[in-house]
Amino acid sequence: MTKEINLKEKWDFVITQLSQQFADGDDLNIDGVIYLIGVQELGQGHRKFKKDEKVNLMHIAICKLLEPYGYYEFDFFDNDGWPHYKTLTELPNLKPGEQSVLMKEAIINYFELINFFN
C-alpha cells in the first residue's frame, strides 16, 4: 500500500511542477508529460514541431521510459539528431488502467533518475 501512496504522491508532484512550468498551471495529462519527456530526450530545445514530429517525440519518450523494463533499447541517432530505438520484447496486452499505471511508474522512475525529486 505504501508503494501506491508513494507513487501517487510522486505523480502528483510531477504533475504540479510540470504544469506550473509548462502549462500555466493547467494540469498536464499523461500525454503532455510524455511529450515533454520526448522534447527533453531529443535535446534540441523547445521549438515548433510538426504534427508527425510530435508523434515521433512521444514515441521517443515511450521507448526511453520503457527501456529499463527491457522493452526497448537505444539503437542510434539519425543525421538530424533524432534517437532511434529497437524493440527487444513486445509489450504485453494490458488493460487501459494497467497501461496507465505502468507509464506513470516509468515516468516517476525517469524523473528519479534525473534527480527531479531532490
Side-chain angles (χ1 to χ4, degrees), residues 13-81:
F13 181 79
V14 166
I15 293 301
T16 300
Q17 295 300 310
L18 294 181
S19 295
Q20 288 175 355
Q21 190 170 356
F22 296 104
D24 297 327
D26 294 336
D27 277 352
L28 286 171
N29 61 22
I30 193 166
D31 289 337
V33 175
I34 291 169
Y35 172 79
L36 289 173
I37 291 170
V39 171
Q40 175 70 25
E41 288 302 310
L42 179 61
Q44 297 180 0
H46 179 72
R47 61 177 173 86
K48 289 277 186 192
F49 292 100
K50 298 175 189 165
K51 185 177 180 179
D52 62 325
E53 289 178 322
K54 290 178 181 179
V55 171
N56 290 336
L57 286 168
M58 294 186 75
H59 178 71
I60 289 168
I62 289 167
C63 291
K64 178 66 177 181
L65 291 168
L66 296 179
E67 187 177 24
Y69 294 83
Y71 294 112
Y72 298 97
E73 179 179 75
F74 174 76
D75 196 13
F76 66 96
F77 287 101
D78 65 19
N79 292 336
D80 294 324

